[in-house]
Amino acid sequence: MASDLNQIARLLDATLDPVKHKKAEDELKREEKKPQFSLQLLKIVATENLQPKTRLSGALCFKNFIRLNYVDEDGNYKIPIEEVNTIKQELIGLMIACPSTIQVQLGEAISIIADSDFWARWDSLVGDLANRLTPDNYKINNGVLEVAHSIFVRWRPLFRSDDLYTEINHVLNAFAVPFLGLLNFTDQAIQAHANDKEALKGYFTTLSLIVKVFYDLSCQDMPPQFESSLEHISTLLHKYLTYQNPLLATDDDSEAGIIETVKADICEVLQLYVTKFDDDFGRYTQVFINSAWTLLSEIGPETKYDNLVSKALQFLTAIAGSTNHSAAFDNEDVLGQVVEKVVLPNVALRESDIELFEDEPIEYIRRDLEGSDTDSRRRAATDFLRQLQGKFETLVTSVAGRYINHYLEQGKTDWKQKDTAISLFLSVAAKGSVTAAHGVKTVNSLVNVVDFFQQHVANDLLGDAVHPISKVDAIKYLYTFRSQLTKEQWQAAFQPLIQNMGSDNYVVYTYAAICVERLLFLADDSGNRIFGRADIEPFAKDLLDHLFKLVEKENSPAKMQENEFLMRCIMRVLIVMNTGIGSFVDMVLNHLVGITNIIKTNPSNPRFYYYHFEAIGAVVSYGSSDGTSKLEESLWEPFNLIIKEEVNEFVPYVLQIFAKLLELNPSGALPNHYQALVPPLMQPTLWETRGNIPALTRLLVAIIPRAASTIVAENQVQSILGIFQNLLRVKKTELHAFDLLESVVISIDKTALDSYFKDILSLLFTKLQSNPSESFKLRFVRFYHLVSARTEAGLGADYFASQTESIQEKLFVQIYLTIILPTSDIIVRPIDRKLAVVSFAKTMGDSAAFAHRYQKGWGYTGQTMLQMLVNVPKVTSGVGDDVVNEADVDDIGFGLGFTALNTCKKSARDDFPEIQDIKVWVRQFLLDANNRHNGAIASYMDRLTPEAQSAMMAYLG
């Protein structure tokens, strides 16, 4: 039965209602499974008499449906081909006809489809786009260009490859000439409509999109069509970089107009061309340098110009870094002009900055932090000056130093002037980028950052009658140069930092927390923390209590999770304290559970709740010295509700923490709480969300050993193996399939496995025949060794061989010789290498099949084992290592799927922990086996090469 359009429209409206949205989303999921659901959504988007919010919701739902249901991991369509073809036929025209808000969502959907199908399965797209371009209808052109940009922008971050260049050439052959024609038509239309505000805005929107697509088409290499028209293109770009028209000016000082957007887009293109194509473009750059300089010298401080100023400065930064153009700056007078007219106006505080500091403090912090994704005038000006300093260090330091001293003198009576001096000093003192992990690693040797702090900054850290921004400057100075201070210097600065966490000012206490957290993260070149547990233990409890109170100041879910920096500091203190949190673990847990119960109703800040669950993970990992039962009691109710209420953002974190709790106490019967989780884990619902799969697998793997008898008694082995089969089918989850399979083989009795083992092997062998990845082969070989080594459980090499032969005669020999033996020697992990050696030794000592049927195989096995024993696998205590090197905040793809909790890392499983010295064990095992079999093992020595016989004497002699 096909989806009902009116019913879907009603559900889309209901998803916008906070009261009804959950139920509506569940019903929409059911509608998704009906035929032609995606086409019904497109009809809703196209129906002009529906409310705009309904059409927009339909476009968003369509985009998300396409993301999850268009193709599988192997690129095969998940919806009928007729539906695919209809979508492609209708989508471009629909997007072009829709309002801009809807265009954005449909454009993203087109980009998703293009990721899969463009260009080989959608080779008509570019021609269709080119044919739709018109000389005079900007509304149609803007729609076409939005589609083009959504597809071509994907090339920007990609590495060069033959396939990528084939795709780009396919586009250029059909699109480049009409695209350049559109640039000329648009230029003519702008001139013709210079006094028509509405048309002018429309054509300038076209121009902005043209410049963006121009960047897309040039991002890998300069298209030959552009190269042959470069002079004309440069003339037009310069024309609009300097274009003025009062009709396009905006009254709002905070919102950029279309003319500022176009100029910023042009500066981006200029930066690209100077950086990548200077040999061809260099002859045109001087006029752009002059114009960018004039623009920066004359432009006002209003925030609407911020993006344009940043992009213009980034262009000049590229010029300063260019060997062909940087010499123009190698002059004291020129550098003085640079500092005075370009750098100083853009590093100085503006009234809008102070307003942001006071009215939107969290936004101020995010913009101000080094490494922030937000382009700001101050950062762009700083980067420009640093680039110049890298080229002309002595001259830049000297010129900037005069201005720094001037503003320091002025700063004695005006804190804003001092702020400018400190910002300018930070620009010339730091060399290279400021990293999130270490701050500034290398400093300008012509300045002394510690002396500058002590003489000009330290008092602001301690003083009471100091403007909050001056305090933030002092804290930021420490944050920036944290790697330059010694432990002794830090000990003097640490307590004042802690004291600033008690400030009433949001930015001050947040910056203090940021600095403390980064200091606790800081390690020397050997990986040892600068500040460890002993340094913070005396006040850790009070510090945590205070941080929690700052987080809990606001009761609404959105406001409580607004400040991820506070939660990150909480997480870091817990990690550094390690097992030292035992005396106040209840206090910490109560706060964390309380926060969980509030923010789960509206998860809105992925960074905050990532750190929040890392903090809970730290409590679980380090606060369970007395056993896990108390932690399980505290966490069960809130976590179970998260699963029941389908708080999808939190579910992967909750599952990881549940798994960790079980892993910490792997023996004994499964607690009742977890028994209640088993039936839902067997259902496909949770597994349908890809981001859940790693955590679901890990939890099930942790449950199986403690519930093995129940799983067998309730006939759940088949359900688990069904999950294994589904995971194995998809390349991205095939390694999780092995995790599950190994847990089954280790925990479930052989008699319960017998009827399934042949089918398991058939699935694995089928996958081995279809060009498997190296990681798949390694896991398969590890699985073989696990079975081969478990002779005490009734398994072993003979069991594996007989099950394989029951599928196809002589298949075992083929797999053993071509996959198992050659792959074993390239296994890297010591625990896996040890398992392989144990497996081979048991094969040589106790396998009847290898003793009689596979006599050559016995020799090959011995030789491979001896090769592996040359580099003895040494399993260290790192198996249970509790050092947490969590990914830095900007390295984590929040919201893009599964994010692992580093405080809950799973320890590598050692299947034979009792074997400490593998060489000693092999010798003893083979001697015992030889005795058990009345000297038979020694009699097989002639199956080895003379060299191997000699080496084997160390184990059987």
Side-chain angles (χ1 to χ4, degrees), residues 830-831 834 874-883 907-908 910 913 916:
I831 347 178
K834 180 169 84 169
K874 293 180 181 176
V875 178
T876 67
S877 59
V879 169
D881 193 6
D882 61 0
V883 174
S907 300
D910 185 353
Q916 294 297 309

Side-chain angles (χ1 to χ4, degrees), residues 317 320-321 338 343 370-371 378-393 396 422-435 439-440 442 444 476 480-481:
T317 303
V338 167
V343 176
E370 287 285 358
R378 180 173 278 195
R379 182 158 314 108
T382 296
D383 289 344
F384 179 38
L385 193 59
R386 280 186 188 153
Q387 182 69 271
L388 289 170
Q389 188 230 359
K391 290 277 186 179
F392 320 110
E393 185 171 67
V396 170
I422 292 172
S423 296
L424 197 55
F425 182 83
L426 289 171
S427 300
V428 296
K431 294 181 75 171
S433 58
V434 181
T435 66
V440 172
T442 310
N444 182 346
K476 187 181 177 184
T480 303
F481 294 114

